[in-house]
PDB file of all heavy atoms in Angstrom:
ATOM      1  N   PRO A   1     128.018  99.677 140.265  1.00 98.00           N
ATOM      2  CA  PRO A   1     126.559  99.635 140.318  1.00 98.00           C
ATOM      3  C   PRO A   1     126.029  99.757 141.815  1.00 98.00           C
ATOM      4  O   PRO A   1     126.782  99.338 142.716  1.00 98.00           O
ATOM      5  CB  PRO A   1     126.231  98.253 139.763  1.00 98.00           C
ATOM      6  CG  PRO A   1     127.396  97.378 140.161  1.00 98.00           C
ATOM      7  CD  PRO A   1     128.571  98.283 140.076  1.00 98.00           C
ATOM      8  N   ASP A   2     124.837 100.224 141.933  1.00 97.00           N
ATOM      9  CA  ASP A   2     124.158 100.196 143.207  1.00 97.00           C
ATOM     10  C   ASP A   2     123.347  98.928 143.406  1.00 97.00           C
ATOM     11  O   ASP A   2     122.927  98.609 144.510  1.00 97.00           O
ATOM     12  CB  ASP A   2     123.251 101.439 143.289  1.00 97.00           C
ATOM     13  CG  ASP A   2     123.962 102.752 143.127  1.00 97.00           C
ATOM     14  OD1 ASP A   2     124.968 102.967 143.773  1.00 97.00           O
ATOM     15  OD2 ASP A   2     123.533 103.521 142.282  1.00 97.00           O
ATOM     16  N   LEU A   3     123.065  98.246 142.250  1.00 98.00           N
ATOM     17  CA  LEU A   3     122.207  97.133 142.260  1.00 98.00           C
ATOM     18  C   LEU A   3     122.524  96.216 141.074  1.00 98.00           C
ATOM     19  O   LEU A   3     122.868  96.697 139.993  1.00 98.00           O
ATOM     20  CB  LEU A   3     120.741  97.633 142.120  1.00 98.00           C
ATOM     21  CG  LEU A   3     119.626  96.593 142.067  1.00 98.00           C
ATOM     22  CD1 LEU A   3     119.458  95.859 143.433  1.00 98.00           C
ATOM     23  CD2 LEU A   3     118.262  97.274 141.737  1.00 98.00           C
ATOM     24  N   ILE A   4     122.428  94.897 141.297  1.00 98.00           N
ATOM     25  CA  ILE A   4     122.573  93.894 140.219  1.00 98.00           C
ATOM     26  C   ILE A   4     121.196  93.260 140.032  1.00 98.00           C
ATOM     27  O   ILE A   4     120.577  92.900 141.023  1.00 98.00           O
ATOM     28  CB  ILE A   4     123.673  92.896 140.517  1.00 98.00           C
ATOM     29  CG1 ILE A   4     124.991  93.441 140.669  1.00 98.00           C
ATOM     30  CG2 ILE A   4     123.702  91.815 139.387  1.00 98.00           C
ATOM     31  CD1 ILE A   4     126.066  92.513 141.220  1.00 98.00           C
ATOM     32  N   VAL A   5     120.736  93.120 138.803  1.00 98.00           N
ATOM     33  CA  VAL A   5     119.449  92.472 138.540  1.00 98.00           C
ATOM     34  C   VAL A   5     119.621  91.364 137.491  1.00 98.00           C
ATOM     35  O   VAL A   5     120.250  91.579 136.515  1.00 98.00           O
ATOM     36  CB  VAL A   5     118.427  93.507 138.025  1.00 98.00           C
ATOM     37  CG1 VAL A   5     117.150  92.831 137.628  1.00 98.00           C
ATOM     38  CG2 VAL A   5     118.144  94.588 139.081  1.00 98.00           C
ATOM     39  N   ASP A   6     119.064  90.194 137.840  1.00 98.00           N
ATOM     40  CA  ASP A   6     118.972  89.119 136.882  1.00 98.00           C
ATOM     41  C   ASP A   6     117.536  88.732 136.694  1.00 98.00           C
ATOM     42  O   ASP A   6     116.692  88.939 137.547  1.00 98.00           O
ATOM     43  CB  ASP A   6     119.770  87.901 137.393  1.00 98.00           C
ATOM     44  CG  ASP A   6     119.901  86.797 136.362  1.00 98.00           C
ATOM     45  OD1 ASP A   6     119.759  87.154 135.146  1.00 98.00           O
ATOM     46  OD2 ASP A   6     120.240  85.623 136.720  1.00 98.00           O
ATOM     47  N   SER A   7     117.210  88.184 135.516  1.00 97.00           N
ATOM     48  CA  SER A   7     115.860  87.705 135.242  1.00 97.00           C
ATOM     49  C   SER A   7     115.981  86.410 134.499  1.00 97.00           C
ATOM     50  O   SER A   7     116.647  86.283 133.499  1.00 97.00           O
ATOM     51  CB  SER A   7     115.134  88.729 134.373  1.00 97.00           C
ATOM     52  OG  SER A   7     113.859  88.256 133.952  1.00 97.00           O
ATOM     53  N   GLY A   8     115.374  85.384 135.044  1.00 95.00           N
ATOM     54  CA  GLY A   8     115.461  84.059 134.509  1.00 95.00           C
ATOM     55  C   GLY A   8     115.037  83.003 135.471  1.00 95.00           C
ATOM     56  O   GLY A   8     114.118  83.170 136.227  1.00 95.00           O
ATOM     57  N   SER A   9     115.801  81.925 135.513  1.00 94.00           N
ATOM     58  CA  SER A   9     115.473  80.810 136.422  1.00 94.00           C
ATOM     59  C   SER A   9     115.674  81.274 137.840  1.00 94.00           C
ATOM     60  O   SER A   9     116.675  81.972 138.198  1.00 94.00           O
ATOM     61  CB  SER A   9     116.381  79.609 136.131  1.00 94.00           C
ATOM     62  OG  SER A   9     116.257  78.637 137.160  1.00 94.00           O
ATOM     63  N   THR A  10     114.805  80.835 138.764  1.00 96.00           N
ATOM     64  CA  THR A  10     114.937  81.077 140.186  1.00 96.00           C
ATOM     65  C   THR A  10     115.283  79.781 140.881  1.00 96.00           C
ATOM     66  O   THR A  10     115.026  79.608 142.089  1.00 96.00           O
ATOM     67  CB  THR A  10     113.646  81.685 140.752  1.00 96.00           C
ATOM     68  OG1 THR A  10     112.530  80.781 140.491  1.00 96.00           O
ATOM     69  CG2 THR A  10     113.372  83.041 140.203  1.00 96.00           C
ATOM     70  N   GLY A  11     115.859  78.817 140.145  1.00 95.00           N
ATOM     71  CA  GLY A  11     116.256  77.555 140.675  1.00 95.00           C
ATOM     72  C   GLY A  11     117.442  77.692 141.629  1.00 95.00           C
ATOM     73  O   GLY A  11     118.063  78.740 141.713  1.00 95.00           O
ATOM     74  N   ARG A  12     117.758  76.593 142.299  1.00 96.00           N
ATOM     75  CA  ARG A  12     118.859  76.626 143.330  1.00 96.00           C
ATOM     76  C   ARG A  12     120.181  77.142 142.831  1.00 96.00           C
ATOM     77  O   ARG A  12     120.818  77.942 143.445  1.00 96.00           O
ATOM     78  CB  ARG A  12     118.998  75.228 143.880  1.00 96.00           C
ATOM     79  CG  ARG A  12     120.090  75.070 144.885  1.00 96.00           C
ATOM     80  CD  ARG A  12     120.226  73.712 145.424  1.00 96.00           C
ATOM     81  NE  ARG A  12     121.299  73.534 146.339  1.00 96.00           N
ATOM     82  CZ  ARG A  12     121.611  72.349 146.880  1.00 96.00           C
ATOM     83  NH1 ARG A  12     120.907  71.262 146.670  1.00 96.00           N
ATOM     84  NH2 ARG A  12     122.708  72.310 147.725  1.00 96.00           N
ATOM     85  N   THR A  13     120.540  76.756 141.616  1.00 95.00           N
ATOM     86  CA  THR A  13     121.877  77.201 141.057  1.00 95.00           C
ATOM     87  C   THR A  13     121.897  78.734 140.984  1.00 95.00           C
ATOM     88  O   THR A  13     122.939  79.325 141.341  1.00 95.00           O
ATOM     89  CB  THR A  13     121.998  76.627 139.591  1.00 95.00           C
ATOM     90  OG1 THR A  13     122.116  75.190 139.687  1.00 95.00           O
ATOM     91  CG2 THR A  13     123.268  77.160 138.989  1.00 95.00           C
ATOM     92  N   TYR A  14     120.850  79.311 140.571  1.00 96.00           N
ATOM     93  CA  TYR A  14     120.843  80.806 140.364  1.00 96.00           C
ATOM     94  C   TYR A  14     120.660  81.528 141.676  1.00 96.00           C
ATOM     95  O   TYR A  14     121.175  82.647 141.844  1.00 96.00           O
ATOM     96  CB  TYR A  14     119.798  81.185 139.318  1.00 96.00           C
ATOM     97  CG  TYR A  14     120.224  80.630 137.961  1.00 96.00           C
ATOM     98  CD1 TYR A  14     119.795  79.393 137.575  1.00 96.00           C
ATOM     99  CD2 TYR A  14     121.091  81.357 137.124  1.00 96.00           C
ATOM    100  CE1 TYR A  14     120.261  78.858 136.337  1.00 96.00           C
ATOM    101  CE2 TYR A  14     121.503  80.885 135.948  1.00 96.00           C
ATOM    102  CZ  TYR A  14     121.088  79.603 135.528  1.00 96.00           C
ATOM    103  OH  TYR A  14     121.529  79.105 134.287  1.00 96.00           O
ATOM    104  N   VAL A  15     119.939  80.948 142.618  1.00 97.00           N
ATOM    105  CA  VAL A  15     119.840  81.528 143.948  1.00 97.00           C
ATOM    106  C   VAL A  15     121.223  81.506 144.608  1.00 97.00           C
ATOM    107  O   VAL A  15     121.647  82.489 145.209  1.00 97.00           O
ATOM    108  CB  VAL A  15     118.804  80.784 144.811  1.00 97.00           C
ATOM    109  CG1 VAL A  15     118.905  81.203 146.247  1.00 97.00           C
ATOM    110  CG2 VAL A  15     117.404  81.031 144.273  1.00 97.00           C
ATOM    111  N   GLU A  16     121.901  80.385 144.528  1.00 96.00           N
ATOM    112  CA  GLU A  16     123.198  80.327 145.124  1.00 96.00           C
ATOM    113  C   GLU A  16     124.173  81.306 144.479  1.00 96.00           C
ATOM    114  O   GLU A  16     125.019  81.952 145.176  1.00 96.00           O
ATOM    115  CB  GLU A  16     123.739  78.867 144.949  1.00 96.00           C
ATOM    116  CG  GLU A  16     123.039  77.826 145.817  1.00 96.00           C
ATOM    117  CD  GLU A  16     123.607  76.433 145.585  1.00 96.00           C
ATOM    118  OE1 GLU A  16     124.398  76.290 144.685  1.00 96.00           O
ATOM    119  OE2 GLU A  16     123.173  75.580 146.362  1.00 96.00           O
ATOM    120  N   LEU A  17     124.108  81.469 143.163  1.00 95.00           N
ATOM    121  CA  LEU A  17     124.986  82.444 142.453  1.00 95.00           C
ATOM    122  C   LEU A  17     124.652  83.824 142.948  1.00 95.00           C
ATOM    123  O   LEU A  17     125.568  84.585 143.264  1.00 95.00           O
ATOM    124  CB  LEU A  17     124.764  82.330 141.015  1.00 95.00           C
ATOM    125  CG  LEU A  17     125.456  83.350 140.153  1.00 95.00           C
ATOM    126  CD1 LEU A  17     126.995  83.238 140.253  1.00 95.00           C
ATOM    127  CD2 LEU A  17     125.009  83.325 138.698  1.00 95.00           C
ATOM    128  N   ALA A  18     123.378  84.180 143.055  1.00 96.00           N
ATOM    129  CA  ALA A  18     123.004  85.494 143.531  1.00 96.00           C
ATOM    130  C   ALA A  18     123.569  85.726 144.935  1.00 96.00           C
ATOM    131  O   ALA A  18     124.043  86.835 145.212  1.00 96.00           O
ATOM    132  CB  ALA A  18     121.511  85.673 143.492  1.00 96.00           C
ATOM    133  N   GLU A  19     123.385  84.794 145.787  1.00 96.00           N
ATOM    134  CA  GLU A  19     123.873  84.923 147.217  1.00 96.00           C
ATOM    135  C   GLU A  19     125.394  85.121 147.182  1.00 96.00           C
ATOM    136  O   GLU A  19     125.984  85.919 147.987  1.00 96.00           O
ATOM    137  CB  GLU A  19     123.468  83.704 148.024  1.00 96.00           C
ATOM    138  CG  GLU A  19     121.951  83.551 148.244  1.00 96.00           C
ATOM    139  CD  GLU A  19     121.436  84.619 149.160  1.00 96.00           C
ATOM    140  OE1 GLU A  19     122.243  85.281 149.871  1.00 96.00           O
ATOM    141  OE2 GLU A  19     120.214  84.828 149.131  1.00 96.00           O
ATOM    142  N   ARG A  20     126.109  84.326 146.417  1.00 95.00           N
ATOM    143  CA  ARG A  20     127.559  84.374 146.386  1.00 95.00           C
ATOM    144  C   ARG A  20     128.049  85.749 145.894  1.00 95.00           C
ATOM    145  O   ARG A  20     128.928  86.363 146.479  1.00 95.00           O
ATOM    146  CB  ARG A  20     128.124  83.292 145.483  1.00 95.00           C
ATOM    147  CG  ARG A  20     129.633  83.180 145.416  1.00 95.00           C
ATOM    148  CD  ARG A  20     130.179  82.591 146.675  1.00 95.00           C
ATOM    149  NE  ARG A  20     129.728  81.225 146.867  1.00 95.00           N
ATOM    150  CZ  ARG A  20     130.253  80.178 146.268  1.00 95.00           C
ATOM    151  NH1 ARG A  20     131.322  80.259 145.505  1.00 95.00           N
ATOM    152  NH2 ARG A  20     129.774  78.986 146.511  1.00 95.00           N
ATOM    153  N   VAL A  21     127.427  86.216 144.785  1.00 95.00           N
ATOM    154  CA  VAL A  21     127.876  87.489 144.238  1.00 95.00           C
ATOM    155  C   VAL A  21     127.567  88.590 145.185  1.00 95.00           C
ATOM    156  O   VAL A  21     128.393  89.507 145.464  1.00 95.00           O
ATOM    157  CB  VAL A  21     127.130  87.742 142.872  1.00 95.00           C
ATOM    158  CG1 VAL A  21     127.362  89.192 142.407  1.00 95.00           C
ATOM    159  CG2 VAL A  21     127.591  86.768 141.834  1.00 95.00           C
ATOM    160  N   GLN A  22     126.401  88.607 145.788  1.00 96.00           N
ATOM    161  CA  GLN A  22     126.011  89.594 146.776  1.00 96.00           C
ATOM    162  C   GLN A  22     126.868  89.610 147.929  1.00 96.00           C
ATOM    163  O   GLN A  22     127.367  90.717 148.403  1.00 96.00           O
ATOM    164  CB  GLN A  22     124.515  89.391 147.165  1.00 96.00           C
ATOM    165  CG  GLN A  22     124.028  90.428 148.131  1.00 96.00           C
ATOM    166  CD  GLN A  22     122.516  90.228 148.325  1.00 96.00           C
ATOM    167  OE1 GLN A  22     121.738  90.638 147.494  1.00 96.00           O
ATOM    168  NE2 GLN A  22     122.122  89.694 149.430  1.00 96.00           N
ATOM    169  N   GLN A  23     127.252  88.457 148.469  1.00 95.00           N
ATOM    170  CA  GLN A  23     128.123  88.387 149.625  1.00 95.00           C
ATOM    171  C   GLN A  23     129.564  88.917 149.321  1.00 95.00           C
ATOM    172  O   GLN A  23     130.159  89.581 150.150  1.00 95.00           O
ATOM    173  CB  GLN A  23     128.209  86.927 150.121  1.00 95.00           C
ATOM    174  CG  GLN A  23     129.077  86.746 151.372  1.00 95.00           C
ATOM    175  CD  GLN A  23     129.125  85.307 151.780  1.00 95.00           C
ATOM    176  OE1 GLN A  23     129.041  84.393 150.927  1.00 95.00           O
ATOM    177  NE2 GLN A  23     129.333  85.046 153.085  1.00 95.00           N
ATOM    178  N   GLN A  24     130.032  88.599 148.143  1.00 93.00           N
ATOM    179  CA  GLN A  24     131.448  88.979 147.862  1.00 93.00           C
ATOM    180  C   GLN A  24     131.597  90.321 147.323  1.00 93.00           C
ATOM    181  O   GLN A  24     132.778  90.812 147.294  1.00 93.00           O
ATOM    182  CB  GLN A  24     131.991  87.914 146.839  1.00 93.00           C
ATOM    183  CG  GLN A  24     132.081  86.502 147.430  1.00 93.00           C
ATOM    184  CD  GLN A  24     132.822  85.590 146.514  1.00 93.00           C
ATOM    185  OE1 GLN A  24     132.726  85.641 145.341  1.00 93.00           O
ATOM    186  NE2 GLN A  24     133.597  84.657 147.123  1.00 93.00           N
ATOM    187  N   THR A  25     130.538  90.957 146.912  1.00 94.00           N
ATOM    188  CA  THR A  25     130.639  92.360 146.461  1.00 94.00           C
ATOM    189  C   THR A  25     129.973  93.393 147.419  1.00 94.00           C
ATOM    190  O   THR A  25     130.338  94.573 147.363  1.00 94.00           O
ATOM    191  CB  THR A  25     129.982  92.561 145.068  1.00 94.00           C
ATOM    192  OG1 THR A  25     128.570  92.311 145.201  1.00 94.00           O
ATOM    193  CG2 THR A  25     130.562  91.623 144.066  1.00 94.00           C
TER     194      THR A  25
END
């Protein structure tokens, strides 16, 4: 993919997940 998109909670858990996935991929 060129982009990953999630829609849902913007709480800390999901922000951290987004950052981790983005950093590692």
Side-chain angles (χ1 to χ4, degrees):
D2 304 308
L3 179 67
I4 300 170
V5 174
D6 190 18
S7 175
S9 171
T10 57
R12 179 179 174 181
T13 295
Y14 293 91
V15 168
E16 290 178 352
L17 173 65
E19 293 290 343
R20 182 75 61 87
V21 171
Q22 183 171 281
Q23 180 181 30
Q24 295 189 325
T25 63

